Amino acid sequence: MTVFARRHPHLPAVLLAAAEQHSDRPYLVFPDRQLTYKEAVDRIPAVAAVLRDVYGVGRGDRVAVVGPNSLEYALTLWAVAWLGAISVGLNGWWTGAEMRHGLAVAQPRVLVGEPRQLDRLTEDPGLPTVTFGEVFSQLGRAAAPLDPELGEDDPVAILFTSGTTGRPKGATITHRGLVNFAQDSQFRGAADALLAGRETPSSPPVSLLVGPFFHISGIGPLLAGGPFNGMTMVFPPRGRWDPLVHLSLTARYGVTQWSGVPTQLLRLLRHPALASYDVSTLRTIGFGGAPMSSELAALLGSVIPGARPAMGFGMSETCGQGTNIAGELLVDNPQSIGYATPTSEVRVLSEGDEVGEIAIRCPSGFLGYWGDPAATAAVLDADGWYRTGDYGRILGGMLQLESRLRDMIIRGGENIYPIEIENRLSEHPAILDAAVIGVPHDDLGQEVLAVVVSSLSAREVREWVGLTLAPYKVPAHVRFVDALPYSATGKLLKRELERSLGG
């Protein structure tokens, strides 16, 4: 594979270099407090000492973490990496049953989180379970040294992603994967500026980070992208995302970089109060998670002309690496998801210009799904090619996304796999048959529609799903039919179902 000859050997080395070069620069800015790069490096070994001495965490152990983004969450992730252990990011919106599944997969030594999320585990999870507050109240022990055997191909995190089985699988990512993610992005940005004749910014970026730490969009910038270029990361207060708060923080901290999903950017660019806030510091508007609409393309080119739009196509299994497209090329080609990034290889498994499954190979590729060799073998070959499950074609040297192999629904940037909801629906004795599809939504991109054969009410259907699945997976719409369409071979005809419903 193509790799950078000069690269950091692991993530703590990236942070240590940042603390040396950007010692007093703010690194993590939360509503109530902030840390500079030097302060973060000074505090992490103490957190690592608590995990080591009190909870027995050592090299290769898993530490499950759950909760909204916070300073304690960030430092815990760093402390885990410091010890050569592996963080297990549990989705903060999961129900207790979903969390128990994640714990069963990863078998962590300890679970650390916020009380609100931990309280969902109404049954004993079978392992030590503590709050961030309990961990941080014990600081003061002798600092834990950096694991001397830490290597770039060591696993650092398990990120949960779903597949055709409908049950979350733990994608195991490495130090190398995230370091390469950061270096590839930095190189790409510098080369892009050089080719476009733009001046390289004289100061490090300031990013308003909305991606949760259990997503690659959150943990990637936190552990790699931010420290690699001395970025200051500003975090909004807890609670539902608010465009006015986003605009206010942009003006207050001189934010140079927005990132998010298309639905969030649309709400920002459409907002009537946008002109009341100084967003002149913005240099980049980055997004992913869903294709760009023609409306968003038009707004990006006119509402904030000084900010350069950029879109990436990647996934947890590739640490977000795959393809990228930016600037006027993106605005002029909204249907495209761009060229392969500098260290990525992308191919379409088809003949000629036909639509085929997209495969990616890069140094940021994952090791496999934790504890699931069969699922790993189904998508990752011996040469490192990962079959994404997305369909596309290559036109004019650029990749164009055509469809999703698994009918995935993307609601506000959250990936929802219909089969998981369908499996839950089928467990109800009064539901004879069920199918789940996505329907368009102006703000969220898509919402969940359940089509069921049942005598239940819509409320009863939603309540049944909500008992075991996260709220964002609960169908926003329920339609009742006498029967679902099937082919002669017994295959559910979802496309025909969508047409019959006017989709």
Side-chain angles (χ1 to χ4, degrees):
M1 299 183 192
T2 299
V3 299
F4 290 95
R6 298 180 61 186
R7 59 187 185 273
H8 293 289
H10 45 65
L11 290 168
V14 178
L15 183 63
L16 290 168
E20 182 176 344
Q21 186 177 358
H22 307 284
S23 176
D24 297 324
R25 181 171 174 80
Y27 168 34
L28 304 172
V29 179
F30 286 90
D32 55 342
R33 56 219 158 119
Q34 65 181 47
L35 283 184
T36 65
Y37 276 97
K38 182 180 185 304
E39 289 169 338
V41 165
D42 290 343
R43 192 167 300 186
I44 289 166
V47 182
V50 175
L51 295 178
R52 178 196 63 185
D53 299 341
V54 180
Y55 304 104
V57 176
R59 180 176 179 79
D61 288 331
R62 277 79 63 207
V63 176
V65 193
V66 65
N69 289 357
S70 68
L71 185 60
E72 289 79 9
Y73 195 154
L75 294 178
T76 298
L77 290 175
W78 270 118
V80 172
W82 201 263
L83 294 170
I86 307 166
S87 62
V88 180
L90 301 181
N91 190 313
W93 293 298
W94 273 354
T95 63
E98 289 169 311
M99 282 195 280
R100 283 194 297 274
H101 171 73
L103 296 173
V105 169
Q107 295 291 304
R109 182 171 288 274
V110 62
L111 167 61
V112 185
E114 290 284 356
R116 182 176 179 181
Q117 281 72 34
L118 295 178
D119 286 346
R120 298 175 193 160
L121 290 166
T122 54
E123 301 175 13
D124 182 3
L127 77 165
T129 301
V130 295
T131 66
F132 288 115
E134 290 173 302
V135 171
F136 281 76
S137 68
Q138 302 178 73
L139 297 184
R141 300 170 179 274
L146 178 65
D147 177 11
E149 298 181 4
L150 196 59
E152 59 184 338
D153 290 312
D154 288 344
V156 68
I158 295 174
L159 301 179
F160 281 96
T161 178
S162 296
T164 54
T165 63
R167 300 300 299 273
K169 301 188 298 294
T172 308
I173 62 176
T174 64
H175 286 261
R176 179 199 293 271
L178 288 177
V179 170
N180 182 75
F181 156 82
Q183 200 161 4
D184 187 290
S185 301
Q186 181 83 342
F187 176 81
R188 187 170 65 245
D192 185 58
L194 179 66
L195 292 172
R198 301 193 314 275
E199 292 186 9
T200 302
S202 58
S203 59
V206 179
S207 176
L208 186 46
L209 192 68
V210 297
F213 291 154
F214 56 81
H215 272 191
I216 192 63
S217 62
I219 197 173
L222 174 71
L223 298 185
F228 190 82
N229 57 20
M231 177 191 294
T232 293
M233 283 182 277
V234 179
F235 296 86
R238 296 182 180 185
R240 187 180 297 275
W241 180 81
D242 186 336
L244 284 177
V245 172
H246 201 97
L247 292 170
S248 176
L249 290 174
T250 299
R252 178 180 177 184
Y253 291 103
V255 169
T256 65
Q257 180 176 307
W258 281 353
S259 60
V261 296
T263 54
Q264 291 171 326
L265 298 178
L266 269 175
R267 291 180 64 185
L268 287 167
L269 298 175
R270 288 172 176 168
H271 206 285
L274 174 62
S276 303
Y277 292 89
D278 181 8
V279 296
S280 61
T281 55
L282 277 175
R283 302 196 294 251
T284 305
I285 299 178
F287 63 96
M292 183 174 69
S293 66
S294 57
E295 179 185 7
L296 179 56
L299 288 172
L300 286 170
S302 60
V303 177
I304 309 179
R308 186 172 177 80
M311 180 177 69
F313 168 73
M315 53 284 302
S316 299
E317 289 88 346
T318 64
C319 291
Q321 292 294 289
T323 65
N324 183 265
I325 184 170
E328 293 182 2
L329 189 64
L330 169 59
V331 175
D332 294 340
N333 298 274
Q335 77 287 349
S336 174
I337 52 177
Y339 298 102
T341 68
T343 61
S344 299
E345 297 171 81
V346 178
R347 68 184 186 189
V348 172
L349 305 178
S350 68
E351 297 294 332
D353 62 354
E354 295 299 313
V355 172
E357 188 177 2
I358 301 167
I360 298 174
R361 185 172 79 154
C362 65
S364 292
F366 73 138
L367 295 178
Y369 296 116
W370 187 270
D372 197 340
T376 301
V379 298
L380 187 65
D381 71 17
D383 292 323
W385 283 100
Y386 168 64
R387 300 180 70 125
T388 66
D390 294 320
Y391 273 9
R393 71 172 78 211
I394 296 175
L395 296 176
M398 294 189 292
L399 186 64
Q400 181 169 317
L401 191 64
E402 295 291 342
S403 65
R404 296 191 177 273
L405 180 63
R406 298 172 299 225
D407 297 319
M408 183 169 67
I409 299 167
I410 304 180
R411 180 189 180 277
E414 283 291 332
N415 294 349
I416 300 173
Y417 293 84
I419 192 169
E420 182 178 16
I421 306 172
E422 290 165 352
N423 287 342
R424 173 58 181 167
L425 290 168
S426 68
E427 293 172 358
H428 197 295
I431 295 179
L432 304 179
D433 204 354
V436 171
I437 60 177
V439 292
H441 187 275
D442 287 344
D443 288 335
L444 297 172
Q446 287 182 298
E447 282 189 320
V448 176
L449 164 65
V451 185
V452 298
V453 180
S454 176
S455 59
L456 296 176
S457 67
R459 177 182 60 80
E460 289 171 322
V461 170
R462 294 190 188 98
E463 288 177 350
W464 176 253
V465 175
L467 286 175
T468 60
L469 298 183
Y472 68 90
K473 300 176 186 176
V474 175
H477 311 279
V478 181
R479 299 275 188 92
F480 295 94
V481 295
D482 294 331
L484 297 177
Y486 287 91
S487 69
T489 58
K491 179 182 179 181
L492 177 63
L493 302 174
K494 281 199 173 182
R495 295 294 174 263
E496 183 176 320
L497 180 64
E498 290 171 349
R499 286 194 296 270
S500 68
L501 296 172

